[in-house]
mmCIF file of all heavy atoms in Angstrom:
data_model
loop_
_atom_site.group_PDB
_atom_site.id
_atom_site.type_symbol
_atom_site.label_atom_id
_atom_site.label_comp_id
_atom_site.label_asym_id
_atom_site.label_seq_id
_atom_site.Cartn_x
_atom_site.Cartn_y
_atom_site.Cartn_z
ATOM 1 N N ASP A 887 39.612 259.095 275.819
ATOM 2 C CA ASP A 887 38.960 258.016 275.082
ATOM 3 C C ASP A 887 37.440 258.118 275.207
ATOM 4 O O ASP A 887 36.716 257.924 274.232
ATOM 5 C CB ASP A 887 39.403 256.657 275.614
ATOM 6 C CG ASP A 887 40.861 256.362 275.322
ATOM 7 O OD1 ASP A 887 41.550 257.242 274.775
ATOM 8 O OD2 ASP A 887 41.306 255.245 275.640
ATOM 9 N N ILE A 900 39.863 254.572 267.792
ATOM 10 C CA ILE A 900 40.740 255.057 268.863
ATOM 11 C C ILE A 900 42.037 254.258 268.887
ATOM 12 O O ILE A 900 43.119 254.823 269.090
ATOM 13 C CB ILE A 900 40.013 255.022 270.221
ATOM 14 C CG1 ILE A 900 38.869 256.031 270.210
ATOM 15 C CG2 ILE A 900 40.982 255.313 271.371
ATOM 16 C CD1 ILE A 900 37.958 255.980 271.413
ATOM 17 N N GLN A 901 41.941 252.962 268.613
ATOM 18 C CA GLN A 901 43.148 252.143 268.577
ATOM 19 C C GLN A 901 44.055 252.577 267.423
ATOM 20 O O GLN A 901 45.284 252.614 267.574
ATOM 21 C CB GLN A 901 42.797 250.655 268.448
ATOM 22 C CG GLN A 901 43.989 249.746 268.645
ATOM 23 C CD GLN A 901 44.672 249.970 269.985
ATOM 24 O OE1 GLN A 901 44.025 250.040 271.027
ATOM 25 N NE2 GLN A 901 45.991 250.112 269.963
ATOM 26 N N LYS A 902 43.474 252.932 266.285
ATOM 27 C CA LYS A 902 44.264 253.445 265.160
ATOM 28 C C LYS A 902 44.989 254.729 265.554
ATOM 29 O O LYS A 902 46.153 254.930 265.221
ATOM 30 C CB LYS A 902 43.374 253.696 263.943
ATOM 31 C CG LYS A 902 42.903 252.451 263.256
ATOM 32 C CD LYS A 902 41.971 252.792 262.104
ATOM 33 C CE LYS A 902 41.332 251.555 261.523
ATOM 34 N NZ LYS A 902 40.345 251.878 260.488
ATOM 35 N N LEU A 903 44.283 255.613 266.263
ATOM 36 C CA LEU A 903 44.903 256.855 266.717
ATOM 37 C C LEU A 903 46.051 256.564 267.681
ATOM 38 O O LEU A 903 47.130 257.157 267.583
ATOM 39 C CB LEU A 903 43.869 257.765 267.383
ATOM 40 C CG LEU A 903 42.738 258.293 266.506
ATOM 41 C CD1 LEU A 903 41.758 259.104 267.339
ATOM 42 C CD2 LEU A 903 43.277 259.115 265.361
ATOM 43 N N LYS A 904 45.832 255.630 268.597
ATOM 44 C CA LYS A 904 46.872 255.285 269.569
ATOM 45 C C LYS A 904 48.067 254.615 268.897
ATOM 46 O O LYS A 904 49.220 254.852 269.293
ATOM 47 C CB LYS A 904 46.296 254.406 270.669
ATOM 48 C CG LYS A 904 45.388 255.166 271.603
ATOM 49 C CD LYS A 904 44.884 254.290 272.719
ATOM 50 C CE LYS A 904 44.037 255.107 273.689
ATOM 51 N NZ LYS A 904 43.570 254.319 274.811
ATOM 52 N N ASN A 905 47.824 253.800 267.884
ATOM 53 C CA ASN A 905 48.933 253.198 267.135
ATOM 54 C C ASN A 905 49.753 254.269 266.438
ATOM 55 O O ASN A 905 50.983 254.209 266.409
ATOM 56 C CB ASN A 905 48.409 252.185 266.111
ATOM 57 C CG ASN A 905 47.872 250.931 266.748
ATOM 58 O OD1 ASN A 905 48.150 250.632 267.911
ATOM 59 N ND2 ASN A 905 47.070 250.190 265.995
ATOM 60 N N ASN A 906 49.077 255.263 265.891
ATOM 61 C CA ASN A 906 49.774 256.379 265.252
ATOM 62 C C ASN A 906 50.621 257.130 266.274
ATOM 63 O O ASN A 906 51.760 257.494 265.983
ATOM 64 C CB ASN A 906 48.755 257.307 264.595
ATOM 65 C CG ASN A 906 49.408 258.442 263.855
ATOM 66 O OD1 ASN A 906 49.906 259.387 264.456
ATOM 67 N ND2 ASN A 906 49.407 258.346 262.531
ATOM 68 N N ILE A 907 50.068 257.350 267.442
ATOM 69 C CA ILE A 907 50.813 258.052 268.501
ATOM 70 C C ILE A 907 52.025 257.228 268.922
ATOM 71 O O ILE A 907 53.119 257.767 269.119
ATOM 72 C CB ILE A 907 49.891 258.347 269.703
ATOM 73 C CG1 ILE A 907 48.848 259.395 269.315
ATOM 74 C CG2 ILE A 907 50.695 258.810 270.913
ATOM 75 C CD1 ILE A 907 47.714 259.541 270.308
ATOM 76 N N ALA A 908 51.851 255.912 269.038
ATOM 77 C CA ALA A 908 52.965 255.044 269.424
ATOM 78 C C ALA A 908 54.072 255.055 268.368
ATOM 79 O O ALA A 908 55.259 255.030 268.709
ATOM 80 C CB ALA A 908 52.468 253.618 269.646
ATOM 81 N N LEU A 914 46.567 262.429 271.817
ATOM 82 C CA LEU A 914 45.250 262.354 271.174
ATOM 83 C C LEU A 914 44.800 263.738 270.714
ATOM 84 O O LEU A 914 44.199 263.885 269.657
ATOM 85 C CB LEU A 914 44.218 261.758 272.127
ATOM 86 C CG LEU A 914 44.201 260.240 272.269
ATOM 87 C CD1 LEU A 914 43.187 259.815 273.326
ATOM 88 C CD2 LEU A 914 43.894 259.566 270.954
#
Side-chain angles (χ1 to χ4, degrees):
D887 292 4
I900 294 172
Q901 190 57 47
K902 287 177 188 175
L903 296 176
K904 288 183 177 182
N905 289 343
N906 183 285
I907 291 167
L914 280 176

